[in-house]
Amino acid sequence: MTPTRFWRPGRRSERARGMAVFGPSGFDEPQNLAELLHRHERLASWLAADGRALRHDRAGVAEVDSLLDGWRDDREIGPMVGNEVGPYLGCVVVDAVPEAHWSVRPNGQPVVSVAGQELNVIEIVARRLDTGHPRLPDVLDGATERR
């Protein structure tokens, strides 16, 4: 009897989890993606409600990381936090690492390309929310070391 083979989607082809971006021709150019994904009004408002300002540096990432558990448990903010913090983390990486840039997988999921590797910031933040690890400043440090 011959075994039956099933197509099993890989990470690049399976349905995007959390966030996907689609648009007209050229939307997926790194500069266009950076402009699209560099909007963090909701995250900035959450920080402002706590008397803090959104910063695009390691200290800002550490501050956001310190608030994640509380936001995750908030009934209003919780469902949105991963899709807000993931692009923010990606933008900080793109700003901090000269050769880093946004790209889009075939399934529409935005990722940060660093030194030939993809950094799936949406998935990283989801894992951080679920398990407590990795800490977001550690992710930023790892990305800066790859260059």
Side-chain angles (χ1 to χ4, degrees), residues 9 22 25-26 30 41 43 49 76 83-85 87 99 110 112 120 139 142:
F22 297 97
S25 178
E41 293 88 6
L43 180 58
E76 205 170 299
N83 287 338
E84 295 296 324
V85 176
E99 60 275 359
V112 175
N120 187 340
V139 173

Side-chain angles (χ1 to χ4, degrees), residues 92-105:
V92 176
V93 170
V94 168
D95 291 346
V97 181
E99 60 275 359
H101 63 276
W102 284 103
S103 60
V104 177
R105 288 180 172 170

